[in-house]
């Protein structure tokens, strides 16, 4: 694939280039734009002295890094409104920290049995294996650690993480994240995947990476060949705007899809970038056309300095309303709010259930048509006391997990006697003797 005129100009301005350099991911990383001056030069923009001071103060808190490739997607004529610019260039609003914001709103560091692992859900863990990225997203929820030289996970830490997974048999899904795991060397990632592959109870590994968006050339044959040895691997990427699906990006995605990796996408809902039903519909449709299944749409977290990116939750619900029914089911992500305090991802949807009786359920569809579903006249409920040996429903016990009911599931289960879930420090209960 040929590179654009704009990309040629940027490459020439950077210098240190020969034919093919642009598509060499190491060249891209080596020439990441890390200073306001270089940024101005390459885009032909001049900021005022005051602005430059503000930007510099911002990047002292969270570094600036943009790959020449991602920079080349910015429309320098109208950069102020450009979704690529807004995601990658520091905003002075970032230094404004609101009372409601936190450095670790999701309590990832508290739900952490060993450094680098967050074990929040029963059967899966988040494993931070890298803390650098090719491009530092200004909306990054992990600003407290990403890009910070003091929190680069060393090999000993990674080994401890692997040991935790080894000694915790309920973990069947390991989610490698960061930072960006694809910024590790192929050999190092190969080592991590080999170690995880030796653990019997780990059934699947997921990798979260933004390289297909900001450094598509990283997805080379060497990487894909290495990853293929470690199937099953699911890969989740992070496209936020349809403009990011360029030729180079689509090529990278095709390599991964042809390699046999199921692909998902996580989008962050961002004010002024993609908080628009038309932009979002175009994005999800383009993703699907490129064999990526939209997985989550995230409400922007309460991390420090992100208030200018946040939208009301209602904007996300409005976008879901405009997707469900209007486009293919597999274009529709799940909209989630990652709840502060470590409660995890809470799915949020418009309401489709209007009313119900013992006999009938009333729904509405995306068009506003209201219909009724008649419940069965008789239904023989299966009483479950978890005595599966005696049960008439066929279940091979080897395939059944052994865990107890958790949370609301408890209240619904026949085999659990819990009749209510009570918040800690409930005053009414404190009054009881
Ligand atoms: C998002 C997340 C996961 C994975 O959640 P899924 O809903 O299975 O994709 C696991 N652990 C942590 C800490 C997470 O934030
Ligand atoms: S790619 Fe992910 S971890 Fe890296 S800066 Fe962006 S949001 Fe943060």
């Amino acid at each position: 694939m040929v590179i654009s005129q704009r990309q040629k100009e940027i490459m020439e301005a950077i210098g240190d280039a020969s034919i093919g350099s642009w598509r060499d991911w190491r060249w891209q990383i080596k020439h990441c734009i890390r200073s306001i001056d270089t940024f101005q030069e390459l885009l032909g923009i001049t900021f005022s002295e005051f602005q430059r001071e503000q930007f510099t103060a911002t990047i002292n808190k969270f570094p600036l890094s943009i790959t020449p490739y991602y920079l080349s997607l910015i429309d320098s004529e109208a950069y102020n409104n450009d979704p690529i610019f807004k995601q990658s260039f520091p905003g002075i609003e970032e230094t404004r920290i609101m009372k409601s914001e936190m450095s670790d709103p999701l309590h990832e560091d508290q739900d952490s049995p060993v450094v680098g692992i967050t074990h929040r859900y029963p059967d899966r863990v988040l494993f931070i294996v890298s803390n650098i990225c090719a491009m530092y997203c200004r909306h990054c929820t992990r600003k407290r650690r990403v890009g910070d030289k003091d929190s680069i996970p060393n090999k000993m830490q990674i080994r401890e993480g692997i040991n935790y997974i080894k000694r915790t048999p309920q973990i069947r899904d390991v989610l490698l994240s960061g930072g960006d795991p694809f910024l590790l060397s192929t050999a190092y990632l190969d080592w991590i995947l080999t170690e995880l592959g030796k653990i019997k109870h780990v059934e699947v590994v997921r990798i979260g990476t933004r390289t297909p968006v900001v450094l598509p050339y990283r997805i080379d044959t060497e990487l894909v060949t290495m990853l293929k040895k470690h199937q099953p691997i699911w890969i989740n990427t992070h496209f936020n705007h349809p403009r990011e699906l360029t030729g180079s990006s689509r090529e990278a995605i095709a390599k991964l899809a042809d390699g046999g990796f199921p692909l998902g996408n996580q989008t962050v809902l961002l004010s002024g970038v993609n908080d628009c039903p038309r932009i979002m519909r175009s994005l999800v449709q383009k993703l699907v056309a490129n064999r990526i299944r939209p997985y989550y749409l995230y409400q922007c977290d309460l991390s420090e300095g992100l208030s200018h990116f946040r939208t009301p939750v209602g904007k996300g619900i409005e976008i879901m309303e405009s997707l469900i029914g209007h486009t293919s089911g597999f274009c529709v992500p799940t909209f989630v709010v990652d709840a502060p305090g470590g409660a995890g991802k809470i799915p949020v949807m418009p309401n489709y259930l209007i009313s119900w009786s013992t006999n009938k359920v009333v729904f509405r569809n995306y068009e506003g048509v209201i219909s009724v579903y008649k419940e069965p006249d008789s239904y023989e409920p299966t009483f479950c006391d978890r005595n599966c040996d005696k049960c008439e429903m066929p279940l091979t016990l080897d395939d059944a997990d052994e865990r107890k009911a958790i949370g609301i599931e408890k209240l619904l289960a026949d085999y659990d006697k819990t009749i209510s879930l009570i918040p800690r420090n409930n005053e009414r209960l404190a009054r009881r003797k």
Side-chain angles (χ1 to χ4, degrees), residues 52 140 205 337 349:
R52 289 162 42 117
C140 180
V205 172
V337 181
M349 273 237 267

Side-chain angles (χ1 to χ4, degrees), residues 64-82:
L64 165 73
S65 176
I66 315 173
T67 55
Y69 162 80
Y70 201 62
L71 179 102
S72 77
L73 308 183
I74 297 176
D75 174 2
S76 53
E77 303 290 309
Y79 66 91
N80 259 327
N81 258 333
D82 187 283

